[in-house]
Amino acid sequence: MIQIRQVSLWYRDGRKVVDNVSAEIRRGQTVVICGPSGSGKSSLLRCINGLERFQEGEILVDGISVSSPSTDLHALRAEIGMVFQHFELYPHMTVLDNITLAPRKVRKKTRQEAETKAMELLNRVGIPDKAAVYPGELSGGQQQRVAIARSLAMEPKAMLFDEPTSALDPEMIKEVLDVMVDLARSGMTMVVVSHEMGFAREVADEVIFMDAGRFIEKKATASFFASAENPRTREFLSRILT
Amino acid sequence: MLHYDFEWSVLWRYPYGGMFIQGIWTTVHLSLFSWMIAILLGLTVCLCRMTPLRAARFLGGAYVELFRNIPLLVQLFFWYFAAPSLLPRELELWLYGNVKDLGYLVAVIALGTYTAARVSEAIRSGLLAVPRGQYRAAHSTGLSGGQTYRHVVLPYALRISWPLLTTEFLTCFKNSALAMTIGVLETTGTAAYVDSFTFHGLETTTAASCVYLATSGAVILTMSRIEKRMRIPGLIRRGYN
Ligand SMILES: Nc1ncnc2c1ncn2[C@@H]1O[C@H](COP(=O)(O)OP(=O)(O)O)[C@@H](O)[C@H]1O
Ligand SMILES: [Mg+2]
């Protein structure tokens, strides 16, 4: 479903932020990426849906190259949902409008169709009563669940999560993770940047530890936790698992 | 004691009453026409500054620095006294012979182009305050660049720019008084004109001040009412990437 082949990325200063990484995420799989701040996780994630241009390598989504000039990036992005650390809901729109904007403008759905679908999704993420409210009036956990609903409204083939619970108070983390676990179990293809190792254990097929732009450790979930080889991985794990 | 006999009737007595009405009306349309130029030109200049095109960015930046750093009075004098003589001789003569209200026309242009530079900056600061994550979120759902601007970025930016734009409009309105220096009989000009016949400058300038105060007050009230209606709970400014 998503193939990442020897991708490297650097910004203006020339320092490699993503350094020759490869991975394959098959349909229905969930892959969790963890690693210290600044290691290039967000940048890599943004490469997958073409929000960031990379200089070397290739990424294929459903066989379509993200970086090829002939690719319709807007169409490609419409097929990949993305959830951000800081939610990024549109503050001037109600929850319902946040969710229906892209389906109406990109998929050309009628308002009625889009709203019916949106209500269904709000039900699914557990806040059907918040449709008419503005994002600023919601808790962080509720905002993030709206953001997930906004992505799902496009009926994406895959979902990217960039530290979806890092900006949340502890008591709200679970409500968001529950939604994500459901999603993973329902067969969604997911790439999740997160330090929630409980979540990784529960639903990830593969876990990747990233540091300084490289994949230091990349293993099936069980063996990642049982037998991480690299000392840096083990040190990182011991720090976040306590 | 006070050696001054108040005579408020100069404000409405024939023929001065009509002059004042005329003057106030001139202030109103002079500042509104200038404001229209300022918004259209300001938005254009601002968009120039935001494009990836280097030449356009340079021109936009140069415009802003040039127009907002030269005193408005100097710009008025330039357009009125100097600019026509840069034209071909025939055109200059035609201009003086056929354009009845050259002073008014020049005032609209000068005030409009000057205010445009400031409006451009007000809009730009709003656009720059929109977090990068908003663009990313919109793009990630497949919205095009135009759709992202139209539905996400501009509505957000406008709410941030609104108070600045209100201030700029008020400044434009008050700056219109400078037009009297090139012979436009707007409110302030009329006050001075009537004073020159009646020697009742105290009454006329008081009246002019009241006109400005009242109009500004009305504008502030209206704009803040609109601002309240647009205000969104939880619209905060953030600067992360
Ligand atoms: N748009 C950008 N322009 C320049 N440098 C950036 C940009 N985004 C991220 N970086 C830099 O790239 C490095 C990796 O950032 P990021 O991908 O956000 O890492 P992570 O998500 O793992 O914390 C950091 O050093 C960051 O400062
Ligand atoms: Mg990050």
Side-chain angles (χ1 to χ4, degrees), chain A residues 143-156:
Chain A
Q143 289 190 54
Q144 196 60 300
R145 285 185 282 159
V146 172
I148 294 173
R150 176 174 68 180
S151 292
L152 290 177
M154 292 299 285
E155 299 173 329

Side-chain angles (χ1 to χ4, degrees), chain B:
Chain B
M1 290 308 297
L2 206 58
H3 308 281
Y4 191 84
D5 290 322
F6 282 96
E7 200 192 326
W8 292 99
S9 72
V10 295
L11 299 179
W12 53 80
R13 205 167 71 202
Y14 181 83
Y16 309 124
M19 289 181 186
F20 273 111
I21 300 290
Q22 190 75 40
I24 294 167
W25 175 235
T26 305
T27 294
V28 170
H29 56 74
L30 170 59
S31 30
L32 283 180
F33 281 132
S34 305
W35 185 247
M36 260 152 48
I37 294 180
I39 286 286
L40 291 177
L41 191 60
L43 192 61
T44 312
V45 170
C46 175
L47 291 179
C48 279
R49 296 196 72 180
M50 309 289 279
T51 60
L53 265 170
R54 193 177 267 238
R57 279 209 311 269
F58 174 80
L59 285 178
Y63 181 94
V64 169
E65 297 312 333
L66 193 66
F67 279 84
R68 73 172 178 179
N69 289 319
I70 296 173
L72 178 55
L73 192 56
V74 176
Q75 293 188 38
L76 268 175
F77 286 178
F78 173 81
W79 292 118
Y80 191 64
F81 298 115
S85 59
L86 295 176
L87 296 169
R89 188 87 196 128
E90 301 86 65
L91 196 56
E92 187 191 351
L93 287 175
W94 180 87
L95 212 57
Y96 285 128
N98 292 283
V99 180
K100 245 195 8 235
D101 238 340
L102 190 62
Y104 177 80
L105 189 67
V106 163
V108 169
I109 292 173
L111 189 54
T113 49
Y114 170 80
T115 310
R118 309 177 52 99
V119 163
S120 163
E121 286 303 276
I123 299 176
R124 199 166 84 104
S125 67
L127 284 174
L128 290 178
V130 178
R132 237 189 291 187
Q134 291 279 303
Y135 293 83
R136 286 179 180 152
H139 285 145
S140 78
T141 56
L143 291 172
S144 68
Q147 289 170 328
T148 300
Y149 259 87
R150 159 92 179 69
H151 299 289
V152 177
V153 176
L154 286 179
Y156 192 127
L158 184 65
R159 284 172 173 81
I160 295 170
S161 298
W162 196 259
L164 288 172
L165 287 174
T166 305
T167 309
E168 289 311 331
F169 176 72
L170 290 174
T171 308
C172 173
F173 171 69
K174 285 173 288 183
N175 277 341
S176 69
L178 286 176
M180 73 169 282
T181 59
I182 54 172
V184 179
L185 281 177
E186 39 63 70
T187 307
T188 312
T190 307
Y193 189 62
V194 172
D195 171 54
S196 69
F197 290 116
T198 62
F199 305 104
H200 277 288
L202 192 53
E203 288 88 335
T204 62
T205 45
T206 305
S209 305
C210 290
V211 167
Y212 289 111
L213 270 176
T215 316
S216 297
V219 170
I220 290 172
L221 258 170
T222 317
M223 298 294 259
S224 68
R225 199 163 284 172
I226 298 176
E227 190 185 341
K228 277 216 191 77
R229 188 171 289 186
M230 292 198 305
R231 186 176 296 150
I232 293 310
L235 176 59
I236 38 166
R237 291 162 212 197
R238 295 164 301 183
Y240 57 83
N241 59 30

Side-chain angles (χ1 to χ4, degrees), chain A residues 23-201:
Chain A
E24 165 144 22
I25 299 109
R26 284 196 295 279
R27 199 175 299 277
Q29 273 197 329
T30 295
V31 171
V32 168
I33 304 176
C34 59
S37 168
S39 56
K41 307 179 298 295
S42 300
S43 300
L44 174 63
L45 218 53
R46 290 199 295 267
C47 287
I48 297 176
N49 65 352
L51 285 178
E52 205 79 70
R53 276 170 208 278
F54 46 94
Q55 285 81 357
E56 285 171 2
E58 186 176 40
I59 295 179
L60 303 178
V61 177
D62 235 5
I64 299 167
S65 164
V66 172
S67 52
S68 153
S70 62
T71 299
D72 179 355
L73 257 189
H74 299 301
L76 184 126
R77 287 187 191 128
E79 306 294 330
I80 310 173
M82 190 166 201
V83 173
F84 303 84
Q85 182 174 357
H86 297 281
F87 331 128
E88 303 302 349
L89 295 175
Y90 314 130
H92 58 283
M93 291 182 200
T94 62
V95 162
L96 197 63
D97 289 340
N98 263 275
I99 301 175
T100 57
L101 179 67
R104 285 191 292 125
K105 300 299 164 190
V106 180
R107 298 267 193 248
K108 309 291 178 204
K109 284 193 185 180
T110 64
R111 183 177 281 275
Q112 170 102 55
E113 281 175 303
E115 288 185 352
T116 308
K117 174 82 184 168
M119 288 312 299
E120 210 179 291
L121 288 167
L122 282 175
N123 252 312
R124 184 166 168 190
V125 299
I127 37 174
D129 52 330
K130 300 293 185 191
V133 157
Y134 285 92
E137 298 168 306
L138 296 176
S139 73
Q142 291 170 331
Q143 289 190 54
Q144 196 60 300
R145 285 185 282 159
V146 172
I148 294 173
R150 176 174 68 180
S151 292
L152 290 177
M154 292 299 285
E155 299 173 329
K157 295 179 188 155
M159 290 277 288
L160 311 174
F161 292 85
D162 190 358
E163 305 207 36
T165 57
S166 299
L168 298 180
D169 295 333
E171 70 270 21
M172 293 171 190
I173 291 178
K174 188 173 176 306
E175 63 189 47
V176 171
L177 288 180
D178 285 348
V179 171
M180 292 171 59
V181 167
D182 274 353
L183 200 55
R185 294 221 168 107
S186 75
M188 177 61 77
T189 309
M190 300 180 17
V191 182
V192 182
V193 171
S194 177
H195 294 157
E196 293 296 331
M197 290 300 127
F199 170 81
R201 276 212 171 90

Side-chain angles (χ1 to χ4, degrees), chain A residues 32-35 165 177 192-204 207-209 221 224-225 233 236-242:
Chain A
V32 168
I33 304 176
C34 59
T165 57
L177 288 180
V192 182
V193 171
S194 177
H195 294 157
E196 293 296 331
M197 290 300 127
F199 170 81
R201 276 212 171 90
E202 208 171 331
V203 295
V207 183
I208 297 172
F209 173 68
T221 307
F224 182 89
F225 289 108
T233 316
F236 182 77
L237 279 178
S238 71
R239 250 190 296 131
I240 62 170
L241 285 179
T242 49

